[in-house]
């Protein structure tokens, strides 16, 4: 307790230097938390947008482009724990035409029930009811590009060069530009008629309760499905290049931000060295009245930790304020446009916060070792020699 009192007095005495060090730690921790929160938010938003239309698990027939009799397979998969929806579908590269304008799109044939309950699209105009065979849902960017509105009629030309007239029933927005600008959702039965394949599908998409733990469901599906006939892949495998790029980007970000903590810890170390030089006489007096090397070392280590803890407390108050400011600025100046976002997504877990504060504490502690050891090595005679 006495060591803490002495350490606290030392910190208070050198107000300017102490404030400078506390601010250094606080700014470093704040930048770390804010940057990681924004990075996590953008990553989570990207994955959520990607998985709006992309299945969590995809099943395709290895031997044929189409496979028939999928109903039994669908029912077997639905019984597996963790499966939220099973969506047979037909995908076909097609051309959409409207008033002399033509654009290549991906026509995705999905049943009425799966569109409503499996996809849960965010509709910006109209609704997601495609119960009529001549219905189509299109993305917001595609509607804007082709100047389409709900209720208007478009032509869809399939890969087999068959044309059908469809009515736009709704316009959706997934938040993933690739889908919103190139995807057209039509009834599964309509696509089956166009392809002349009867009750068939090109693939079966599966939605699970927890996409991040998709491997658990994937292993159970492999038991139910004949793997010699069907190829089974998860969304992580399909998007592995994208996910690896995101992970590498996050690794580089954390490495750079960690350097900020190291720089802030140097400031703490410098301040402690200055205090040691100024307090040589006081160290000599303490040792002459019975203070051991361990006691002296503890005093200066405590000083560094006081600065570090005050810096972390200040950062815990600054971080939310900075994040709120960034959200407001984003809404005012950067909404939509290039970033295709309504608001700045933010996310950080309690575990990540604890790791940041824990690492900061350890780094600050390490920065106190040399100055504290230097003070502890001083001998009373040398310390008082010139006094």
């Amino acid at each position: 307790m006495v060591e803490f009192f002495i350490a606290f007095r030392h910190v208070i005495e050198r107000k300017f230097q102490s404030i400078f060090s506390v601010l250094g730690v606080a700014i470093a921790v704040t930048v770390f938390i804010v940057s990681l929160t924004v990075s996590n938010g953008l990553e989570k938003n990207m994955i959520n947008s990607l998985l709006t239309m992309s299945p969590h698990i995809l099943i395709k027939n290895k031997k044929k482009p189409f496979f028939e009799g999928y109903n039994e397979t669908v029912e077997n998969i639905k019984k597996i724990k963790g499966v939220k929806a099973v969506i047979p579908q037909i995908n076909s590269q097609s051309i959409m035409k409207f008033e002399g304008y033509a654009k290549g799109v991906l026509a995705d044939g999905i049943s009425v029930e799966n569109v409503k309950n499996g996809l849960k699209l965010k509709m910006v105009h109209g609704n997601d009811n495609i119960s009529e065979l001549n219905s189509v849902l299109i993305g917001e960017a595609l509607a804007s590009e082709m100047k389409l509105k709900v209720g208007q009629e478009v032509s869809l030309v399939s890969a087999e060069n068959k044309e059908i007239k469809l009515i736009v029933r709704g316009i959706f927005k997934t938040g993933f530009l690739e889908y919103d600008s190139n995807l057209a959702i039509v009834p599964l039965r309509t696509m089956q008629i166009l392809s002349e394949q009867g009750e068939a599908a090109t693939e079966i998409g599966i939605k699970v309760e927890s996409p991040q733990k998709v491997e658990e469901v994937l292993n159970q599906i492999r038991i139910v499905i004949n793997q010699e006939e069907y190829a089974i892949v998860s969304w992580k495998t399909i998007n592995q290049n994208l996910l690896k790029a995101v992970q590498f980007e996050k690794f580089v970000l954390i490495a750079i931000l960690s350097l900020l903590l190291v720089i802030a810890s140097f400031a703490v170390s410098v301040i402690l060295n200055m205090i040691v030089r100024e307090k040589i006489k006081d160290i000599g007096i303490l040792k002459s009245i019975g203070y051991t090397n361990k006691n002296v070392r503890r005093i200066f280590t405590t000083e560094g930790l006081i600065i570090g803890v005050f810096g972390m407390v200040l950062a815990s108050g600054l971080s939310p304020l900075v994040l709120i400011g960034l959200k407001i600025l984003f809404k005012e100046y950067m909404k939509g446009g290039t970033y295709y976002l309504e608001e700045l997504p933010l996310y950080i877990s309690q575990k990540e916060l604890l790791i940041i504060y824990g690492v900061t504490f350890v780094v600050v502690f390490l920065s106190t070792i040399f100055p504290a050891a230097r003070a502890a090595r001083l001998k009373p005679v040398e310390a008082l020699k010139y006094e």
Side-chain angles (χ1 to χ4, degrees):
M1 191 65 191
V2 177
E3 287 96 340
F4 177 82
F5 174 75
I6 295 170
F8 190 75
R9 283 295 301 271
H10 284 177
V11 172
I12 296 297
E13 282 174 8
R14 300 190 62 86
K15 290 180 181 176
F16 177 77
Q17 290 87 344
S18 298
I19 290 171
F20 176 79
S21 296
V22 168
L23 282 175
V25 174
I27 291 169
V29 175
T30 300
V31 170
F32 204 129
I33 292 172
V34 169
S35 301
L36 194 59
T37 302
V38 174
S39 175
N40 285 350
L42 291 171
E43 179 187 343
K44 192 175 182 182
N45 179 78
M46 180 199 69
I47 290 173
N48 288 341
S49 300
L50 180 68
L51 294 180
T52 302
M53 288 301 303
S54 177
H56 303 156
I57 299 171
L58 187 65
I59 302 175
K60 283 193 171 185
N61 195 312
K62 290 180 180 179
K63 300 172 182 177
K64 307 173 187 176
F66 288 87
F67 57 87
E68 299 175 355
Y70 56 79
N71 289 325
E72 185 181 345
T73 304
V74 168
E75 291 305 316
N76 289 335
I77 295 170
K78 281 182 178 178
K79 294 174 185 175
I80 295 172
K81 187 180 177 182
V83 172
K84 190 163 67 174
V86 184
I87 307 172
Q89 53 195 52
I90 294 179
N91 291 330
S92 174
Q93 289 294 335
S94 306
I95 296 172
M96 183 172 284
K97 297 193 293 186
F98 177 70
E99 292 184 352
Y101 187 90
K103 177 178 169 60
V105 297
L106 177 65
D108 200 353
I110 302 175
S111 69
V112 180
E113 296 77 15
N114 283 323
V115 168
K116 195 171 285 291
N117 303 319
L119 299 183
K120 294 182 179 177
L121 294 168
K122 178 186 174 183
M123 304 304 296
V124 292
H125 298 291
N127 57 62
D128 59 1
N129 184 5
I130 55 168
S131 55
E132 295 182 38
L133 292 179
N134 65 339
S135 303
V136 63
L137 304 179
I138 59 174
E140 186 181 44
L142 178 59
S144 176
E145 185 180 348
M146 297 188 72
K147 296 180 173 56
L148 278 166
K149 295 179 181 178
V150 173
Q152 291 184 318
E153 189 179 74
V154 297
S155 295
L156 188 73
V157 183
S158 69
E160 294 81 15
N161 201 28
K162 292 176 182 176
E163 187 171 339
I164 187 172
K165 300 288 184 182
L166 301 170
I167 296 173
V168 178
R169 304 293 181 186
I171 298 171
F172 61 82
K173 182 174 183 179
T174 64
F176 194 67
L177 189 58
E178 186 68 24
Y179 293 148
D180 292 348
S181 60
N182 294 299
L183 187 64
I185 299 173
V186 298
L188 177 61
R189 185 61 188 148
T190 302
M191 290 301 293
Q192 287 172 340
I193 292 168
L194 274 175
S195 61
E196 296 180 350
Q197 291 292 328
E199 292 287 331
T202 55
E203 59 191 42
I204 296 175
I206 300 166
K207 297 279 188 180
V208 300
E209 297 287 349
S210 182
Q212 295 296 342
K213 298 177 181 177
V214 71
E215 291 81 8
E216 296 175 9
V217 179
L218 190 66
N219 291 332
Q220 294 181 61
I221 290 173
R222 283 181 176 142
I223 298 170
V224 174
I225 299 297
N226 181 1
Q227 293 187 58
E228 291 182 5
E229 189 176 353
Y230 300 108
I232 310 164
V233 290
S234 72
W235 70 273
K236 290 183 179 180
T237 304
I238 296 169
N239 301 288
Q240 60 181 327
N241 291 335
L242 178 63
L243 294 175
K244 283 179 181 177
V246 169
Q247 287 173 354
F248 179 72
E249 182 184 325
K250 193 171 182 178
F251 169 76
V252 172
L253 177 68
I254 291 172
I256 293 170
L257 293 174
S258 299
L259 292 176
L260 285 177
L261 293 179
V262 174
I263 292 167
S265 72
F266 276 126
V268 175
S269 183
V270 168
I271 295 299
L272 288 180
N273 272 308
M274 291 172 65
I275 293 173
V276 170
R277 286 196 189 95
E278 289 181 2
K279 301 294 181 181
I280 288 177
K281 178 185 172 183
D282 295 342
I283 294 168
I285 292 170
L286 287 172
K287 286 203 164 186
S288 66
I289 61 173
Y291 270 66
T292 63
N293 289 351
K294 186 179 179 181
N295 295 132
V296 174
R297 194 182 300 114
R298 193 179 295 156
I299 289 170
F300 288 95
T301 300
T302 304
E303 285 180 38
L305 293 178
I306 288 172
I307 291 170
V309 169
F310 271 103
M312 288 188 282
V313 170
L314 184 58
S316 67
L318 280 175
S319 301
L321 294 176
V322 174
L323 289 169
I324 290 168
L326 284 174
K327 257 200 159 181
I328 293 168
L329 286 172
F330 189 90
K331 258 186 179 176
E332 290 294 323
Y333 301 107
M334 301 174 73
K335 181 180 175 182
T338 308
Y339 296 94
Y340 202 61
L341 294 168
E342 293 296 326
E343 63 177 11
L344 183 65
L346 303 172
Y347 174 77
I348 190 166
S349 66
Q350 288 185 347
K351 182 181 176 182
E352 287 171 325
L353 280 174
L354 289 173
I355 290 172
I356 290 170
Y357 286 125
V359 169
T360 303
F361 189 86
V362 170
V363 169
V364 170
F365 172 75
L366 292 174
S367 73
T368 66
I369 291 175
F370 176 72
R374 185 167 169 266
R377 282 198 302 268
L378 283 173
K379 294 178 181 177
V381 177
E382 291 178 1
L384 297 171
K385 184 163 56 175
Y386 300 107
E387 299 296 331

